[in-house]
Amino acid sequence: MVKAGKNTVSNNSDMAELKSMFREVLPKQGPLFVEDITTMVLCKPKLLPLKSLTLEKLEKMHQAAQNTIHQQEMAEKDQRQITH
């Protein structure tokens, strides 16, 4: 229940009448204050790769170089065993 002067407002239609009694007034001169409240907006999470494409390419190149070195060492080892 809302008391407005001597009248008691008890239902929605009376409340609408009470609201229409008051009108909004905007100043024509002077400062006008507007309260702007920033709120957080939640976005969908973005899935990021654990490794970048460049890092994966470098790792593949490194692994290929290691394999080549290992094959060359094995070939040299086999050559030494054959000659001895």
Side-chain angles (χ1 to χ4, degrees):
M1 291 253 215
V2 176
K3 291 189 177 186
K6 294 181 180 179
N7 299 335
T8 303
V9 179
S10 61
N11 61 24
N12 289 339
S13 63
D14 290 338
M15 187 66 89
E17 289 175 18
L18 180 64
K19 285 184 181 178
S20 66
M21 287 175 30
F22 300 103
R23 63 184 180 88
E24 187 176 283
V25 178
L26 295 174
K28 299 210 188 286
Q29 287 184 330
L32 175 65
F33 295 98
V34 177
E35 190 173 331
D36 187 23
I37 300 172
T38 56
T39 58
M40 290 180 53
V41 177
L42 298 177
C43 299
K44 290 174 69 175
K46 294 182 173 99
L47 297 176
L48 299 174
L50 296 175
K51 293 182 181 178
S52 68
L53 293 175
T54 307
L55 181 60
E56 287 181 5
K57 286 180 185 177
L58 286 173
E59 286 179 344
K60 285 180 184 177
M61 288 172 52
H62 181 71
Q63 186 65 35
Q66 290 292 330
N67 289 340
T68 304
I69 291 172
H70 182 67
Q71 288 174 355
Q72 287 175 352
E73 287 175 349
M74 294 300 286
E76 286 177 9
K77 192 177 192 181
D78 289 342
Q79 283 292 335
R80 278 190 240 144
Q81 286 180 355
I82 292 173
T83 57
H84 288 292

